[in-house]
Structures are given as C-alpha cells and as structure tokens.
Amino acid sequence: MSIWRVLLSILFPPLAVLDKGCGSVVIVFILTLCAWIPGVIGALIILNNPKYS
C-alpha cells in the first residue's frame, strides 16, 4: 500500500477503495456518512486485507 493510497483514504475514504469493488465502496461510503473516522478505519482495513489484492 502506497503513501498516496493512505493519504487518499484519510481525505476521502470511498475514493481510496474504488478499485476494490462496488461492495467495498458502498460499505466505506455508508461508514463515512455515519462518521468520518469509521470510514477511514474501514478503508484502511480493506486496503490492508490481502484477500482483495
């Protein structure tokens, strides 16, 4: 995971997981709507998961 992807997940989490699939984007978007911190945490978890690589 690059530093740019980490910065993007902090600034706008749904955009960071855009290439991981529609489900990931929807989950992170809903978490971001609830609060910003859960969206960032969700994006970082999805980006660090080797299953989605």
Side-chain angles (χ1 to χ4, degrees):
M1 179 170 45
S2 68
I3 188 70
W4 299 113
R5 186 66 64 107
V6 172
L7 289 174
L8 188 60
S9 68
I10 292 171
L11 296 175
F12 191 66
L15 189 58
V17 296
L18 193 61
D19 64 336
K20 302 297 181 182
C22 182
S24 298
V25 174
V26 170
I27 290 170
V28 172
F29 184 72
I30 291 171
L31 287 172
T32 305
L33 285 178
C34 293
W36 178 69
I37 297 294
V40 171
I41 292 171
L44 290 174
I45 288 172
I46 290 173
L47 289 175
N48 283 324
N49 192 351
K51 178 181 167 187
Y52 292 109
S53 292

